[in-house]
Amino acid sequence: MKNYTLILAVLMLAIVGCQNSETPTPNHQTIAQIPGNALSVRQSAAFYANLAFQHAPVHYQDIDRTGSHSLSGKADYITAVDFDDDLNSSNNWNNIANNAYKAQAHAYYSVVETSTHYFIIYAFFHPRDWTDNWFLYRFDEHENDLEGLLTIVKKDGSTYGKAEGAITVFHRDFYSYKAPGSSLTNGDEDIDGTFTTQYYGGVYRFKTSQEAKGHGLKAYAKQKPGGSDYVVYYPSKTTSEVPSSIYDRNVKYKLVNMFGADGIWTHRFNTAFLTNAKSFPSTYGNGSANTPWNWDDHNDGGGQGLSHGGMAYYPAELVDAYFNGLGSFSKQYIYNPYLGIE
């Protein structure tokens, strides 16, 4: 009897030893079928691309064509960081003046996810930050310019959630705006206004606006183009267009994943492209442009989310500081490629 017991024990140990000692991780489809878990698991790359398109703004770009540095308005067109077919950021000031290089419209996006929200960065690149005041040439200008916004999307049970507001980058300052009908209220910073929206691609989208020359970005409701010379850009997953003129009201910009092969993050250690992996070099003028992981409001305090790069690394902490009225709000990241959380 003892022998049979010993044999049985050995067989049980062998069976247990053949089992995977790690808890199996269910795939996305499996998790989505588990009650209560549909909103607490990271999504696929295809989903994030669709999400970014769903909430991408209709973008108004003011144009100034005065002075030689405007290139008759071309200096205000948004484009790709490699519009000139290279990742050398020290020749962009000159190359955008070359008629061989067209300003194909692009915008760079990234998505960070918590169990309650998505945080989407949209970044718009210009090869020149310029002025038409000859006295300020080289003093108020620099090569390369990248400014954008962080859109706050609440998971509300719908496929792509509901955009509640955004924080925009205007040089060294951030501005915060809420969506029409949003419950957001002032946090540590006062809300600067309410977005107006425009219907495109089956949804109502935030309207954003960049100034000419310096390219600071605000809500269209608070910063309208001056005069009739401006371009209106509309998001696309695949198409990148060049304005036909400084009055073109229908130009598609292509959404490019910040973390893709054509993105910015991928090339951050290329010293010809970025300085210290976070800023663009400038061989002309005074100053430089920053990547989203170095964007900062110069006077909103410190702490996690409020220091340099917080909009990228810790968007939930930034939003929690800027707004109240967020409702159910988690700062636990499910997906944050800036932090290596995949």
Side-chain angles (χ1 to χ4, degrees):
M1 192 68 174
K2 291 181 180 178
N3 290 338
Y4 286 119
T5 302
L6 179 60
I7 292 170
L8 181 60
V10 170
L11 287 173
M12 289 299 294
L13 286 171
I15 291 171
V16 171
C18 291
Q19 303 300 313
N20 189 338
S21 62
E22 296 181 0
T23 303
T25 302
N27 60 29
H28 168 65
Q29 289 78 12
T30 303
I31 293 175
Q33 293 168 4
I34 301 174
N37 278 354
L39 298 181
S40 60
V41 60
R42 65 147 294 185
Q43 303 283 359
S44 67
F47 175 89
Y48 291 137
N50 291 331
L51 176 79
F53 173 75
Q54 182 81 2
H55 295 290
V58 174
H59 191 62
Y60 286 68
Q61 175 62 65
D62 196 12
I63 304 293
D64 193 325
R65 50 182 168 162
T66 58
S68 61
H69 291 190
S70 72
L71 306 177
S72 299
K74 185 182 179 184
D76 287 322
Y77 293 168
I78 63 173
T79 190
V81 295
D82 59 348
F83 71 93
D84 52 359
D85 302 320
D86 67 40
L87 287 170
N88 178 0
S89 297
S90 297
N91 60 18
N92 289 338
W93 179 277
N94 290 328
N95 282 354
I96 193 60
N98 188 332
N99 290 331
Y101 299 121
K102 306 301 180 184
Q104 298 277 159
H106 289 66
Y108 297 88
Y109 76 88
S110 65
V111 178
V112 169
E113 180 181 3
T114 68
S115 58
T116 60
H117 287 75
Y118 301 108
F119 303 93
I120 312 172
I121 283 178
Y122 300 97
F124 300 95
F125 177 77
H126 298 81
R128 291 185 175 190
D129 182 308
W130 63 282
T131 181
D132 57 357
N133 185 334
W134 65 269
F135 185 75
L136 296 177
Y137 282 179
R138 293 187 177 271
F139 292 100
D140 194 29
E141 297 181 312
H142 58 79
E143 189 172 22
N144 303 307
D145 202 9
L146 189 74
E147 305 195 35
L149 68 154
L150 174 73
T151 297
I152 308 150
V153 179
K154 183 176 182 63
K155 297 179 180 180
D156 64 351
S158 64
T159 302
Y160 297 115
K162 181 180 180 181
E164 292 194 311
I167 300 171
T168 73
V169 179
F170 191 91
H171 311 308
R172 298 174 63 227
D173 292 292
F174 291 170
Y175 287 81
S176 57
Y177 304 94
K178 66 179 184 177
S182 170
S183 62
L184 296 182
T185 58
N186 294 336
D188 294 341
E189 299 283 328
D190 291 340
I191 293 175
D192 294 294
T194 301
F195 277 109
T196 50
T197 61
Q198 188 167 336
Y199 192 78
Y200 177 76
V203 295
Y204 285 96
R205 302 172 179 275
F206 291 162
K207 291 169 66 175
T208 53
S209 177
Q210 278 188 280
E211 61 179 355
K213 298 180 283 192
H215 308 133
L217 195 152
K218 293 184 178 181
Y220 175 86
K222 293 294 182 179
Q223 179 175 261
K224 296 179 175 64
S228 61
D229 47 349
Y230 63 89
V231 173
V232 184
Y233 291 97
Y234 295 87
S236 171
K237 298 177 188 177
T238 58
T239 303
S240 172
E241 296 180 332
V242 178
S244 60
S245 74
I246 59 175
Y247 307 104
D248 198 335
R249 304 294 196 257
N250 190 3
V251 183
K252 290 184 176 62
Y253 68 84
K254 181 180 177 181
L255 287 161
V256 178
N257 184 353
M258 192 88 68
F259 290 86
D262 296 329
I264 300 175
W265 178 268
T266 309
H267 305 288
R268 66 193 184 281
F269 296 120
N270 177 351
T271 56
F273 180 54
L274 293 179
T275 302
N276 297 323
K278 60 187 180 181
S279 300
F280 289 87
S282 177
T283 59
Y284 184 93
N286 180 41
S288 63
N290 292 306
T291 60
W293 50 97
N294 203 41
W295 283 346
D296 183 44
D297 182 294
H298 74 286
N299 62 358
D300 65 356
Q304 197 170 61
L306 296 176
S307 55
H308 286 271
M311 186 178 284
Y313 292 112
Y314 299 106
E317 284 80 359
L318 175 67
V319 168
D320 191 36
Y322 269 60
F323 296 100
N324 287 324
L326 290 161
S328 177
F329 188 80
S330 172
K331 289 182 277 189
Q332 180 179 354
Y333 295 106
I334 294 169
Y335 176 65
N336 187 336
Y338 292 105
L339 296 178
I341 299 173
E342 299 286 342

